[in-house]
Amino acid sequence: MMIQPDESWERLASSIESQIHTVWKQIDQIAETNQEKILQAFQNKKVSEFHFLDSTGYGYDDAGRETLDRIYADVFGAESAIVRPHLVSGTHTIATALFGLLRPGDRLMSLTGKPYDTLQKVIGKDPAEDGTILNWGIGYDEVPLLDNGQVNWDLAFQMINKKTKVIAIQRSRGYDVRPSFTVEEIGDMVRNIKSQHPDLIVFVDNCYGEFAEAIEPPEVGVDIIAGSLIKNPGGGIVTTGGYLAGRADLIQRAANRLTAPGLGSELGAMLGQTRLIFQGLFLAPHFVSQALKGAVFAAALLEHIGFETSPRWSERRTDLIQTVQFHSAEQVIRFVQSIQQASPVDSFVLPEPSEMPGYDHPVIMAAGTFIQGGSLELTADAPIREPYLAFLQGGLTYEQIKGAMKKAMFQLKQDGVKI
Ligand SMILES: *Cc1c(COP(=O)(O)O)cnc(C)c1O
């Protein structure tokens, strides 16, 4: 059914847009800063058309790949970086870093509570599970966050011992109910750790965070970060890949793990992806800003009609994820379905909640994206259980997100929500 042009929607949307105007202004400023930083890096490294030529076989002396690594390092304020289509996902990228850094007998500590679902599999529950961190004889300690969402420092310092080698921090909330950590807060964590344990390696899972702020974790002392190219830094156009940026010795170790000792980052034909990865990085600040503007709009609108959101529209943001709390399973299902209907791909498919491996409750997902799993594009997920939270993220154009919210409003209104 088509939504008729609706005067009351136009009025409501305009008033929300005026309300959030100053927050948008800050988002624009961050995008400008990041765009300038990226352009400067391209210009300093004299990026030219020959960098986009493809390499074959071993990919020795691939100038495009080497320049891309340098540019990623510069943009993230790091000594070194490795950016590859051979990193198949964010999880693979993070695992490459962890297995590169840790040796049997070492311990890994998650400072920010339970890590992202897929990383729990990488760590493993039982040392008998093949290939996991535990299976390699690496120990794991988890420091649950306090009820207020902050780091439990007393417990963390109690648990750090001589074997502890890597401290892992997750910037984004992921699909958890806790605030995300700003780069400034991550900087405080680094100072806190290093003041007592200067040799510990601080790793940050930077997924969903890139270019949401004007600075990135290596600029506040983080040793190594990881992220996915089908999220923020791919600008919505990169079809696969991941990146690591950080201290040169640590990137070298991760590169040895990705390829092989003796090969490191010197090998790897780029499979025709180099130009796209350059271009995606160039576009990323703008598309991240579109997603952020949409998230702020959605938050303000849904707050206005009585739903709880996190972050609130006016809160400072460090990632793309917007949580909305609905009142019932039906509402959250209808909301996620509206997002699918507002998508350019598979808009005619009606998602339904279903059981998913690794989840205890049925989950519903809207993902009408060009890139499979690409979550700088507009997507929404919700586990069907109290407190009926929907996780909304991405959107390559503000206009699409606004249109999706119009559909969602229409649906909620039909279901009896007062608007
Ligand atoms: C997306 C994401 C990952 C990695 O997920 P993939 O689906 O493997 O790319 C890890 N941590 C966080 C916080 C994420 O958002």
Side-chain angles (χ1 to χ4, degrees):
M1 178 169 154
M2 284 288 294
I3 294 179
Q4 299 302 324
D6 180 345
E7 233 180 89
S8 74
W9 162 256
E10 290 305 331
R11 239 180 310 163
L12 175 59
S14 298
S15 90
I16 298 287
E17 283 171 344
S18 319
Q19 174 193 338
I20 62 183
H21 164 81
T22 51
V23 178
W24 274 14
K25 195 89 200 131
Q26 290 158 10
I27 293 171
D28 283 336
Q29 272 160 5
I30 290 167
E32 279 172 33
T33 304
N34 285 322
Q35 189 71 77
E36 195 176 317
K37 205 195 283 187
I38 288 169
L39 264 176
Q40 198 64 58
F42 274 55
Q43 290 162 7
N44 289 347
K45 292 292 173 300
K46 298 190 161 54
V47 171
S48 185
E49 200 171 342
F50 79 90
H51 288 121
F52 306 151
L53 296 177
D54 202 15
S55 56
T56 58
Y58 299 128
Y60 283 137
D61 304 318
D62 180 329
R65 184 191 67 219
E66 287 167 5
T67 304
L68 193 58
D69 285 351
R70 280 309 324 152
I71 286 178
Y72 257 73
D74 290 353
V75 166
F76 285 96
E79 252 172 37
S80 179
I82 179 166
V83 190
R84 294 291 182 279
H86 318 109
L87 290 160
V88 304
S89 68
T91 306
H92 180 210
T93 309
I94 294 165
T96 301
L98 296 179
F99 283 111
L101 299 176
L102 291 154
R103 295 291 175 270
D106 291 341
R107 296 190 77 81
L108 165 69
M109 174 180 278
S110 170
L111 187 66
T112 48
K114 243 194 211 337
Y116 195 72
D117 294 74
T118 55
L119 290 171
Q120 295 176 29
K121 298 258 162 139
V122 171
I123 293 160
K125 281 208 173 78
D126 175 348
E129 281 174 280
D130 193 44
T132 60
I133 290 275
L134 294 185
N135 183 241
W136 275 93
I138 298 161
Y140 174 65
D141 300 301
E142 194 170 281
V143 186
L145 292 170
L146 296 169
D147 289 340
N148 63 6
Q150 297 303 302
V151 170
N152 187 340
W153 285 108
D154 290 339
L155 184 61
F157 282 124
Q158 260 172 45
M159 284 168 103
I160 291 174
N161 63 39
K162 278 208 213 48
K163 298 197 160 163
T164 309
K165 185 150 172 211
V166 174
I167 304 284
I169 294 169
Q170 187 178 303
R171 175 171 172 183
S172 167
R173 67 182 63 198
Y175 299 113
D176 209 342
V177 190
R178 57 117 163 138
S180 300
F181 293 108
T182 63
V183 176
E184 193 183 342
E185 287 169 327
I186 291 171
D188 291 339
M189 293 181 203
V190 175
R191 269 189 297 283
N192 223 343
I193 294 160
K194 302 251 175 178
S195 66
Q196 304 203 25
H197 302 279
D199 295 335
L200 287 177
I201 297 166
V202 180
F203 165 85
V204 167
D205 171 356
N206 207 31
C207 283
Y208 275 137
E210 298 90 352
F211 312 127
E213 295 194 61
I215 53 168
E216 294 290 336
E219 297 173 77
V220 295
V222 167
D223 297 300
I224 178 167
I225 62 172
S228 163
L229 300 191
I230 64 166
K231 292 182 179 170
N232 308 16
I237 63 167
V238 176
T239 49
T240 188
Y243 77 91
L244 293 158
R247 257 168 52 191
D249 59 326
L250 307 182
I251 294 299
Q252 179 66 48
R253 281 156 66 180
N256 286 348
R257 167 77 193 192
L258 173 65
T259 62
L263 309 184
S265 54
E266 307 288 311
L267 264 70
M270 291 294 275
L271 313 173
Q273 299 297 301
T274 311
R275 182 188 52 78
L276 212 56
I277 301 176
F278 272 110
Q279 196 173 357
L281 180 65
F282 167 73
L283 294 174
H286 176 70
F287 288 103
V288 167
S289 79
Q290 292 290 294
L292 288 171
K293 284 181 174 182
V296 172
F297 177 80
L301 181 70
L302 290 157
E303 279 166 39
H304 177 78
I305 60 171
F307 294 104
E308 262 186 58
T309 64
S310 174
R312 307 282 308 268
W313 70 269
S314 53
E315 267 177 288
R316 188 165 155 193
R317 281 166 199 261
T318 187
D319 67 359
L320 300 189
I321 299 190
Q322 177 65 51
T323 319
V324 187
Q325 186 177 339
F326 289 94
H327 303 319
S328 67
E330 291 70 38
Q331 265 180 0
V332 77
I333 290 169
R334 299 278 217 147
F335 179 77
V336 172
Q337 289 174 339
S338 316
I339 300 298
Q340 183 78 35
Q341 286 168 355
S343 301
V345 180
D346 290 333
S347 61
F348 52 89
V349 173
L350 198 67
E352 295 281 353
S354 67
E355 302 294 335
M356 299 262 301
Y359 292 87
D360 300 333
H361 303 268
V363 178
I364 183 168
M365 295 185 171
T369 57
F370 291 97
I371 309 266
Q372 188 189 87
S375 43
L376 181 54
E377 297 180 61
L378 182 60
T379 55
D381 322 70
I384 307 303
R385 62 166 141 87
E386 285 188 79
Y388 303 118
L389 294 177
F391 295 86
L392 178 72
Q393 57 271 319
L396 293 181
T397 71
Y398 167 65
E399 294 79 5
Q400 183 201 358
I401 307 165
K402 184 175 174 182
M405 286 306 121
K406 180 177 176 179
K407 268 197 200 302
M409 281 306 97
F410 186 81
Q411 194 58 256
L412 290 168
K413 205 168 171 178
Q414 279 207 326
D415 294 345
V417 174
K418 278 224 164 1
I419 294 169

